[in-house]
Amino acid sequence: MSMMFQLNSVVVAVVVALLIMLIENAECMMLDLQSGVTKCITEDIKENSMTVGKYNIINPNEASPLPDTHRLTVRVSSPHGNNYHYGDPVESGNFAFTAAESGDYTTCFFVRDHKPQITVTIEFDWRTGIAAKDWSKVARKGQIDTMEAELNRLNDIVQSIHDEMFYLREREEEMQLLNRSTNSKMASLSFLSLVVCGSVAGFQIWHLKKFFERKKLL
């Protein structure tokens, strides 16, 4: 029993360590966007989760100012189409909000059409949940020691894992309900199809019987 407890503790420690490494090593993504084309990024965010994002255009020639053609139209929207951020035309920007609903949130980038076509490189960083919290700033702001800040961060990670487990359980229950509803509808449809096929077959037999009786073949 003691060995099993130690094994579970090691597994939990490894999982927490991996999550910390993923959070600390999170990097910005780079997007190449051609003019006249829209590119969207989606993120599955659960209700009441904090999310922050920042973006900027990479200057193709650092020795000179950014060309006027390198401007973005940016829109961040919720699963139901509510706008949380909009910028037009911008070189860079950031957004932060607390999700009011669970689902896929979308960030779309668009560069106005130009002749000849140009390609704009965008640096985009989007963080959600525990990753959206800058603990280095929290530690400086509250003047707390490093150990306390680390413990608070670990506590938030554990709470985030706990909330994520419940969220996944809710999604699983929704999928099970959807599967049951679909199976019930398919069973009803199959039964209806059998009834229709049986009715059509019976009508055809009756029609052929009447036809042969009129022709005096029966």
Short mmCIF file of all heavy atoms in Angstrom, two decimals, residues 161-201:
data_model
loop_
_atom_site.label_atom_id
_atom_site.label_comp_id
_atom_site.label_asym_id
_atom_site.label_seq_id
_atom_site.Cartn_x
_atom_site.Cartn_y
_atom_site.Cartn_z
N ILE A 161 -5.77 22.26 -12.96
CA ILE A 161 -5.93 20.85 -13.35
C ILE A 161 -7.26 20.33 -12.85
O ILE A 161 -7.98 19.62 -13.57
CB ILE A 161 -4.77 20.01 -12.79
CG1 ILE A 161 -3.44 20.45 -13.43
CG2 ILE A 161 -5.00 18.53 -13.04
CD1 ILE A 161 -2.22 19.80 -12.81
N HIS A 162 -7.61 20.68 -11.62
CA HIS A 162 -8.88 20.25 -11.02
C HIS A 162 -10.05 20.76 -11.84
O HIS A 162 -10.99 20.01 -12.17
CB HIS A 162 -8.95 20.75 -9.58
CG HIS A 162 -10.18 20.33 -8.84
ND1 HIS A 162 -11.31 21.12 -8.77
CD2 HIS A 162 -10.47 19.18 -8.17
CE1 HIS A 162 -12.24 20.49 -8.07
NE2 HIS A 162 -11.76 19.32 -7.68
N ASP A 163 -10.02 22.06 -12.18
CA ASP A 163 -11.11 22.65 -12.97
C ASP A 163 -11.18 22.03 -14.36
O ASP A 163 -12.26 21.81 -14.91
CB ASP A 163 -10.91 24.17 -13.09
CG ASP A 163 -11.07 24.87 -11.75
OD1 ASP A 163 -11.65 24.26 -10.83
OD2 ASP A 163 -10.58 26.01 -11.62
N GLU A 164 -9.99 21.75 -14.93
CA GLU A 164 -9.95 21.16 -16.28
C GLU A 164 -10.56 19.76 -16.28
O GLU A 164 -11.25 19.38 -17.22
CB GLU A 164 -8.51 21.11 -16.78
CG GLU A 164 -8.37 20.70 -18.23
CD GLU A 164 -8.91 21.74 -19.19
OE1 GLU A 164 -9.00 22.92 -18.81
OE2 GLU A 164 -9.24 21.36 -20.33
N MET A 165 -10.32 18.99 -15.20
CA MET A 165 -10.88 17.65 -15.10
C MET A 165 -12.41 17.70 -15.06
O MET A 165 -13.09 16.92 -15.72
CB MET A 165 -10.33 16.94 -13.86
CG MET A 165 -8.86 16.55 -13.96
SD MET A 165 -8.23 15.82 -12.44
CE MET A 165 -9.24 14.35 -12.32
N PHE A 166 -12.95 18.64 -14.26
CA PHE A 166 -14.40 18.77 -14.20
C PHE A 166 -14.97 19.25 -15.53
O PHE A 166 -16.05 18.83 -15.96
CB PHE A 166 -14.79 19.74 -13.08
CG PHE A 166 -14.87 19.09 -11.73
CD1 PHE A 166 -13.81 19.17 -10.83
CD2 PHE A 166 -16.00 18.37 -11.34
CE1 PHE A 166 -13.88 18.56 -9.60
CE2 PHE A 166 -16.08 17.77 -10.10
CZ PHE A 166 -15.01 17.86 -9.22
N TYR A 167 -14.23 20.15 -16.19
CA TYR A 167 -14.68 20.65 -17.50
C TYR A 167 -14.72 19.52 -18.51
O TYR A 167 -15.70 19.37 -19.27
CB TYR A 167 -13.75 21.76 -17.96
CG TYR A 167 -14.01 22.26 -19.36
CD1 TYR A 167 -15.18 22.94 -19.65
CD2 TYR A 167 -13.09 22.05 -20.38
CE1 TYR A 167 -15.44 23.40 -20.93
CE2 TYR A 167 -13.33 22.50 -21.66
CZ TYR A 167 -14.50 23.18 -21.93
OH TYR A 167 -14.74 23.62 -23.21
N LEU A 168 -13.67 18.68 -18.53
CA LEU A 168 -13.65 17.55 -19.46
C LEU A 168 -14.74 16.55 -19.13
O LEU A 168 -15.33 15.94 -20.03
CB LEU A 168 -12.28 16.87 -19.41
CG LEU A 168 -11.10 17.68 -19.96
CD1 LEU A 168 -9.79 16.93 -19.74
CD2 LEU A 168 -11.29 17.99 -21.43
N ARG A 169 -15.02 16.38 -17.82
CA ARG A 169 -16.10 15.47 -17.44
C ARG A 169 -17.44 15.98 -17.93
O ARG A 169 -18.29 15.21 -18.42
CB ARG A 169 -16.12 15.31 -15.92
CG ARG A 169 -17.14 14.29 -15.41
CD ARG A 169 -17.05 14.14 -13.91
NE ARG A 169 -15.73 13.67 -13.49
CZ ARG A 169 -15.36 13.56 -12.22
NH1 ARG A 169 -16.22 13.90 -11.26
NH2 ARG A 169 -14.16 13.12 -11.92
N GLU A 170 -17.66 17.31 -17.84
CA GLU A 170 -18.90 17.89 -18.34
C GLU A 170 -19.02 17.71 -19.84
O GLU A 170 -20.09 17.38 -20.37
CB GLU A 170 -18.97 19.37 -17.97
CG GLU A 170 -19.15 19.63 -16.48
CD GLU A 170 -19.10 21.11 -16.16
OE1 GLU A 170 -18.90 21.91 -17.10
OE2 GLU A 170 -19.25 21.48 -14.98
N ARG A 171 -17.90 17.93 -20.55
CA ARG A 171 -17.92 17.74 -22.01
C ARG A 171 -18.20 16.28 -22.36
O ARG A 171 -18.91 15.99 -23.34
CB ARG A 171 -16.59 18.17 -22.61
CG ARG A 171 -16.29 19.65 -22.51
CD ARG A 171 -17.26 20.49 -23.31
NE ARG A 171 -17.07 20.27 -24.74
CZ ARG A 171 -16.26 21.00 -25.50
NH1 ARG A 171 -15.57 21.99 -24.97
NH2 ARG A 171 -16.15 20.74 -26.79
N GLU A 172 -17.65 15.35 -21.57
CA GLU A 172 -17.89 13.92 -21.82
C GLU A 172 -19.36 13.58 -21.63
O GLU A 172 -19.95 12.83 -22.43
CB GLU A 172 -17.03 13.08 -20.88
CG GLU A 172 -17.19 11.58 -21.10
CD GLU A 172 -16.37 10.77 -20.13
OE1 GLU A 172 -15.71 11.38 -19.27
OE2 GLU A 172 -16.40 9.53 -20.23
N GLU A 173 -19.98 14.16 -20.57
CA GLU A 173 -21.40 13.91 -20.34
C GLU A 173 -22.24 14.47 -21.48
O GLU A 173 -23.22 13.85 -21.91
CB GLU A 173 -21.82 14.54 -19.00
CG GLU A 173 -21.23 13.83 -17.79
CD GLU A 173 -21.58 14.53 -16.49
OE1 GLU A 173 -22.21 15.62 -16.56
OE2 GLU A 173 -21.24 13.99 -15.41
N GLU A 174 -21.86 15.67 -21.97
CA GLU A 174 -22.58 16.25 -23.10
C GLU A 174 -22.47 15.35 -24.33
O GLU A 174 -23.46 15.15 -25.06
CB GLU A 174 -22.02 17.64 -23.41
CG GLU A 174 -22.33 18.68 -22.34
CD GLU A 174 -21.67 20.00 -22.64
OE1 GLU A 174 -20.99 20.10 -23.69
OE2 GLU A 174 -21.82 20.94 -21.83
N MET A 175 -21.28 14.80 -24.57
CA MET A 175 -21.09 13.92 -25.73
C MET A 175 -21.89 12.63 -25.57
O MET A 175 -22.46 12.11 -26.54
CB MET A 175 -19.61 13.60 -25.91
CG MET A 175 -18.76 14.79 -26.33
SD MET A 175 -19.32 15.50 -27.90
CE MET A 175 -19.06 14.13 -29.00
N GLN A 176 -21.96 12.11 -24.34
CA GLN A 176 -22.75 10.90 -24.11
C GLN A 176 -24.23 11.15 -24.36
O GLN A 176 -24.92 10.32 -24.97
CB GLN A 176 -22.53 10.40 -22.68
CG GLN A 176 -21.15 9.80 -22.44
CD GLN A 176 -20.96 9.36 -21.00
OE1 GLN A 176 -21.79 9.62 -20.14
NE2 GLN A 176 -19.84 8.68 -20.74
N LEU A 177 -24.72 12.31 -23.89
CA LEU A 177 -26.12 12.66 -24.14
C LEU A 177 -26.40 12.81 -25.63
O LEU A 177 -27.44 12.38 -26.14
CB LEU A 177 -26.48 13.95 -23.39
CG LEU A 177 -26.55 13.86 -21.86
CD1 LEU A 177 -26.78 15.24 -21.26
CD2 LEU A 177 -27.65 12.90 -21.43
N LEU A 178 -25.43 13.43 -26.33
CA LEU A 178 -25.58 13.59 -27.77
C LEU A 178 -25.59 12.24 -28.47
O LEU A 178 -26.39 12.01 -29.39
CB LEU A 178 -24.45 14.46 -28.32
CG LEU A 178 -24.44 14.72 -29.82
CD1 LEU A 178 -25.73 15.44 -30.24
CD2 LEU A 178 -23.22 15.53 -30.23
N ASN A 179 -24.71 11.32 -28.05
CA ASN A 179 -24.67 9.98 -28.65
C ASN A 179 -25.97 9.22 -28.41
O ASN A 179 -26.50 8.56 -29.32
CB ASN A 179 -23.50 9.19 -28.09
CG ASN A 179 -22.16 9.68 -28.60
OD1 ASN A 179 -22.09 10.30 -29.66
ND2 ASN A 179 -21.10 9.42 -27.85
N ARG A 180 -26.49 9.33 -27.18
CA ARG A 180 -27.75 8.65 -26.88
C ARG A 180 -28.89 9.22 -27.72
O ARG A 180 -29.73 8.48 -28.24
CB ARG A 180 -28.07 8.80 -25.39
CG ARG A 180 -27.13 8.03 -24.48
CD ARG A 180 -27.37 8.38 -23.03
NE ARG A 180 -26.37 7.75 -22.17
CZ ARG A 180 -26.21 8.07 -20.89
NH1 ARG A 180 -26.97 9.00 -20.34
NH2 ARG A 180 -25.27 7.47 -20.17
N SER A 181 -28.92 10.55 -27.84
CA SER A 181 -29.97 11.17 -28.63
C SER A 181 -29.86 10.76 -30.10
O SER A 181 -30.86 10.46 -30.75
CB SER A 181 -29.87 12.70 -28.51
OG SER A 181 -30.80 13.35 -29.34
N THR A 182 -28.62 10.73 -30.61
CA THR A 182 -28.40 10.33 -32.00
C THR A 182 -28.81 8.88 -32.23
O THR A 182 -29.46 8.54 -33.22
CB THR A 182 -26.93 10.53 -32.38
OG1 THR A 182 -26.56 11.90 -32.18
CG2 THR A 182 -26.70 10.17 -33.84
N ASN A 183 -28.43 7.99 -31.29
CA ASN A 183 -28.80 6.57 -31.42
C ASN A 183 -30.31 6.39 -31.39
O ASN A 183 -30.87 5.58 -32.14
CB ASN A 183 -28.16 5.77 -30.30
CG ASN A 183 -26.65 5.67 -30.43
OD1 ASN A 183 -26.11 5.82 -31.53
ND2 ASN A 183 -25.95 5.44 -29.33
N SER A 184 -30.99 7.16 -30.51
CA SER A 184 -32.45 7.07 -30.43
C SER A 184 -33.10 7.53 -31.73
O SER A 184 -34.03 6.89 -32.24
CB SER A 184 -32.95 7.92 -29.26
OG SER A 184 -34.36 7.92 -29.19
N LYS A 185 -32.59 8.63 -32.29
CA LYS A 185 -33.14 9.13 -33.55
C LYS A 185 -32.88 8.15 -34.69
O LYS A 185 -33.73 7.94 -35.56
CB LYS A 185 -32.54 10.49 -33.87
CG LYS A 185 -32.99 11.61 -32.93
CD LYS A 185 -32.32 12.92 -33.25
CE LYS A 185 -32.77 14.02 -32.30
NZ LYS A 185 -32.09 15.31 -32.56
N MET A 186 -31.67 7.55 -34.70
CA MET A 186 -31.36 6.58 -35.75
C MET A 186 -32.24 5.35 -35.64
O MET A 186 -32.69 4.79 -36.66
CB MET A 186 -29.89 6.17 -35.65
CG MET A 186 -28.91 7.27 -36.07
SD MET A 186 -29.13 7.78 -37.78
CE MET A 186 -28.72 6.25 -38.63
N ALA A 187 -32.53 4.90 -34.40
CA ALA A 187 -33.41 3.75 -34.22
C ALA A 187 -34.82 4.06 -34.71
O ALA A 187 -35.45 3.25 -35.40
CB ALA A 187 -33.44 3.34 -32.74
N SER A 188 -35.30 5.27 -34.39
CA SER A 188 -36.63 5.67 -34.85
C SER A 188 -36.67 5.76 -36.37
O SER A 188 -37.64 5.33 -37.01
CB SER A 188 -37.01 7.02 -34.23
OG SER A 188 -37.03 6.95 -32.83
N LEU A 189 -35.60 6.34 -36.96
CA LEU A 189 -35.54 6.47 -38.40
C LEU A 189 -35.48 5.09 -39.08
O LEU A 189 -36.12 4.87 -40.12
CB LEU A 189 -34.32 7.30 -38.80
CG LEU A 189 -34.15 7.59 -40.29
CD1 LEU A 189 -35.34 8.36 -40.83
CD2 LEU A 189 -32.86 8.38 -40.53
N SER A 190 -34.70 4.18 -38.48
CA SER A 190 -34.62 2.82 -39.05
C SER A 190 -35.98 2.14 -39.01
O SER A 190 -36.39 1.48 -39.97
CB SER A 190 -33.59 2.00 -38.27
OG SER A 190 -32.31 2.58 -38.35
N PHE A 191 -36.69 2.26 -37.88
CA PHE A 191 -38.02 1.66 -37.76
C PHE A 191 -38.98 2.25 -38.78
O PHE A 191 -39.75 1.54 -39.44
CB PHE A 191 -38.56 1.86 -36.34
CG PHE A 191 -39.94 1.32 -36.13
CD1 PHE A 191 -40.17 -0.05 -36.02
CD2 PHE A 191 -41.03 2.18 -36.07
CE1 PHE A 191 -41.45 -0.55 -35.84
CE2 PHE A 191 -42.32 1.69 -35.88
CZ PHE A 191 -42.52 0.33 -35.77
N LEU A 192 -38.92 3.59 -38.94
CA LEU A 192 -39.78 4.26 -39.91
C LEU A 192 -39.46 3.79 -41.33
O LEU A 192 -40.37 3.58 -42.15
CB LEU A 192 -39.61 5.77 -39.80
CG LEU A 192 -40.45 6.64 -40.75
CD1 LEU A 192 -41.94 6.40 -40.52
CD2 LEU A 192 -40.12 8.11 -40.58
N SER A 193 -38.15 3.61 -41.62
CA SER A 193 -37.75 3.13 -42.95
C SER A 193 -38.29 1.74 -43.21
O SER A 193 -38.76 1.43 -44.31
CB SER A 193 -36.22 3.13 -43.06
OG SER A 193 -35.71 4.44 -42.90
N LEU A 194 -38.24 0.86 -42.17
CA LEU A 194 -38.79 -0.49 -42.33
C LEU A 194 -40.29 -0.46 -42.58
O LEU A 194 -40.81 -1.21 -43.42
CB LEU A 194 -38.49 -1.32 -41.07
CG LEU A 194 -37.02 -1.72 -40.86
CD1 LEU A 194 -36.85 -2.41 -39.52
CD2 LEU A 194 -36.54 -2.63 -41.99
N VAL A 195 -40.99 0.43 -41.85
CA VAL A 195 -42.44 0.55 -42.05
C VAL A 195 -42.75 1.01 -43.47
O VAL A 195 -43.64 0.48 -44.14
CB VAL A 195 -43.05 1.51 -41.00
CG1 VAL A 195 -44.51 1.81 -41.33
CG2 VAL A 195 -42.94 0.91 -39.61
N VAL A 196 -42.01 2.03 -43.94
CA VAL A 196 -42.23 2.55 -45.29
C VAL A 196 -41.93 1.48 -46.34
O VAL A 196 -42.71 1.27 -47.28
CB VAL A 196 -41.37 3.81 -45.53
CG1 VAL A 196 -41.43 4.23 -46.99
CG2 VAL A 196 -41.83 4.95 -44.63
N CYS A 197 -40.80 0.78 -46.16
CA CYS A 197 -40.45 -0.27 -47.13
C CYS A 197 -41.48 -1.39 -47.14
O CYS A 197 -41.88 -1.90 -48.20
CB CYS A 197 -39.07 -0.85 -46.80
SG CYS A 197 -37.70 0.29 -47.10
N GLY A 198 -41.95 -1.79 -45.93
CA GLY A 198 -42.98 -2.81 -45.85
C GLY A 198 -44.27 -2.37 -46.50
O GLY A 198 -44.93 -3.16 -47.21
N SER A 199 -44.65 -1.10 -46.29
CA SER A 199 -45.87 -0.57 -46.89
C SER A 199 -45.76 -0.55 -48.40
O SER A 199 -46.70 -0.92 -49.13
CB SER A 199 -46.15 0.84 -46.34
OG SER A 199 -46.30 0.83 -44.95
N VAL A 200 -44.61 -0.08 -48.92
CA VAL A 200 -44.40 -0.04 -50.37
C VAL A 200 -44.43 -1.45 -50.96
O VAL A 200 -45.05 -1.69 -52.02
CB VAL A 200 -43.07 0.67 -50.70
CG1 VAL A 200 -42.75 0.53 -52.18
CG2 VAL A 200 -43.14 2.13 -50.31
N ALA A 201 -43.79 -2.41 -50.29
CA ALA A 201 -43.79 -3.80 -50.79
C ALA A 201 -45.20 -4.38 -50.79
O ALA A 201 -45.62 -5.04 -51.75
CB ALA A 201 -42.86 -4.65 -49.91
#
